[in-house]
Amino acid sequence: MFASYLIGLREGLEATLVVSVLVALLVKSDRRDRLPLVWAGVGAALVLSVAFGALLTFTVAHLEYRQQELFEAITSLLATAFVTWMIFWMRRASRTLSGELRARLSQALEVGATAVVVMAFLAVAREGLETALLFFASVQGATTTAVPLIGISLGLLTAVALGWAIYRSAMRINLTTFFTWTGLLLILVAAGIFKYGVHDLQEAGVLPGLSAYAFDISGVLPADSWYGALLSGMFNITPQPSVLETVAWVAYVVPTLVLFLRPRRGRSAPSAPSATASSTSPDPRTSSRSADPQTSSTDPQPAG
């Protein structure tokens, strides 16, 4: 449940921040007449995301065993690639997200109504499709209960509540810190998804070594215990993994953590503020202020 909650919270907050930036910019620039276009794009993106998730579920339910394992393996590997890209992209773009969206929306407003709908749709659809794929991949092999669905729903609801609170200026979030810690947790989640993808390839007979176990700690980590279920559900840590699964988990976690925790280069000096280093606030009046690394946050304040 926690892994699903984390996926819903992280992806949902990214989408919520995008929408809040677009809405606040239109409100502040007295273009409220364009708000229905933004919501139309958001609605279309949500419909597409739900349809994509339903398509994945329908497809896997109508495949034979080996085909099902291959399909689940492919979706797991794709989900690992997407979440890895998303983690590093958000780590790099969290400080400049607002400025980039303002520029794109200004261009879309100049082009016309259709461009505004398309921009809002694309901004949210990416997060929605990633959420559907990650959720599908993360719950493979889970028991047929509603717990994963409850987890991701709670995560999305929390993200919407946080986005609304940020929009109304009721709170401030250090986005750099938030995306760093959730990024670390998601790296472990992605490693578990990658490990499960390798397991599915072994189940399908594509990779060997299904019965060659790396270790067996079922004595201290029973699969039916609450903590065993917790680790398995969150990070796909199982008491009896194969050698290849273990190698895959380590091969993903170690280099990804090293790259993620490596200090970023090319940061601007504090004495040289620029618009692209501003905090993620959709207020055009703050677009020229540089973001303090310790206080970078999203603070979209609506006019009036």
Side-chain angles (χ1 to χ4, degrees):
M1 181 172 180
F2 180 77
S4 299
Y5 176 84
L6 181 62
I7 290 172
L9 175 62
R10 171 73 181 237
E11 296 286 342
L13 186 57
E14 288 184 36
T16 302
L17 290 176
V18 169
V19 174
S20 67
V21 168
L22 297 178
V23 171
L25 178 59
L26 289 175
V27 170
K28 286 180 175 296
S29 59
D30 198 23
R31 302 295 298 272
R32 292 175 182 266
D33 59 309
R34 298 298 185 182
L35 286 177
L37 300 177
V38 171
W39 293 120
V42 171
L46 292 177
V47 170
L48 176 64
S49 302
V50 173
F52 180 60
L55 177 62
L56 290 175
T57 304
F58 176 82
T59 301
V60 76
H62 291 78
L63 295 175
E64 297 178 357
Y65 176 76
R66 186 173 184 276
Q67 295 173 330
Q68 186 180 78
E69 295 297 327
L70 284 174
F71 183 79
E72 292 179 356
I74 292 172
T75 56
S76 295
L77 297 179
L78 286 175
T80 303
F82 276 125
V83 74
T84 305
W85 175 84
M86 177 266 294
I87 290 170
F88 284 95
W89 177 83
M90 203 61 197
R91 178 177 180 263
R92 182 182 68 255
S94 59
R95 297 167 185 261
T96 60
L97 179 63
S98 177
E100 293 177 359
L101 286 174
R102 284 198 299 269
R104 293 178 185 176
L105 182 58
S106 298
Q107 294 173 357
L109 288 171
E110 294 177 0
V111 173
T114 303
V116 176
V117 175
V118 171
M119 183 203 167
F121 171 79
L122 293 177
V124 178
R126 181 179 67 85
E127 307 298 342
L129 293 176
E130 285 182 2
T131 302
L133 181 60
L134 291 176
F135 177 68
F136 177 82
S138 68
V139 300
Q140 296 305 309
T143 55
T144 56
T145 67
V147 171
L149 183 60
I150 293 173
I152 197 169
S153 300
L154 290 175
L156 291 172
L157 290 174
T158 304
V160 171
L162 287 174
W164 175 252
I166 292 171
Y167 177 79
R168 300 299 301 180
S169 303
M171 62 183 297
R172 295 177 64 86
I173 290 180
N174 186 319
L175 292 181
T176 302
T177 301
F178 174 84
F179 285 120
T180 296
W181 284 105
T182 56
L184 288 172
L185 290 173
L186 278 179
I187 287 174
L188 297 180
V189 171
I193 295 174
F194 182 60
K195 171 178 173 287
Y196 191 83
V198 171
H199 176 80
D200 278 337
L201 290 175
Q202 290 181 307
E203 290 276 5
V206 176
L207 294 177
L210 181 62
S211 301
Y213 301 120
F215 51 82
D216 185 354
I217 55 172
S218 54
V220 295
L221 188 67
D224 56 353
S225 64
W226 68 267
Y227 49 91
L230 181 66
L231 290 176
S232 177
M234 287 172 58
F235 309 123
N236 199 19
I237 296 177
T238 53
Q240 197 179 40
S242 69
V243 173
L244 199 55
E245 288 179 70
T246 305
V247 170
W249 193 91
V250 174
Y252 175 85
V253 166
V254 173
T256 305
L257 282 178
V258 170
L259 291 174
F260 184 78
L261 296 175
R262 184 179 61 180
R264 284 174 286 182
R265 299 177 181 178
R267 290 183 179 178
S268 301
S271 60
S274 64
T276 57
S278 64
S279 64
T280 52
S281 165
D283 189 343
R285 295 171 298 179
T286 65
S287 60
S288 61
R289 295 182 302 180
S290 61
D292 185 339
Q294 302 301 320
T295 59
S296 175
S297 65
T298 297
D299 187 18
Q301 301 177 355

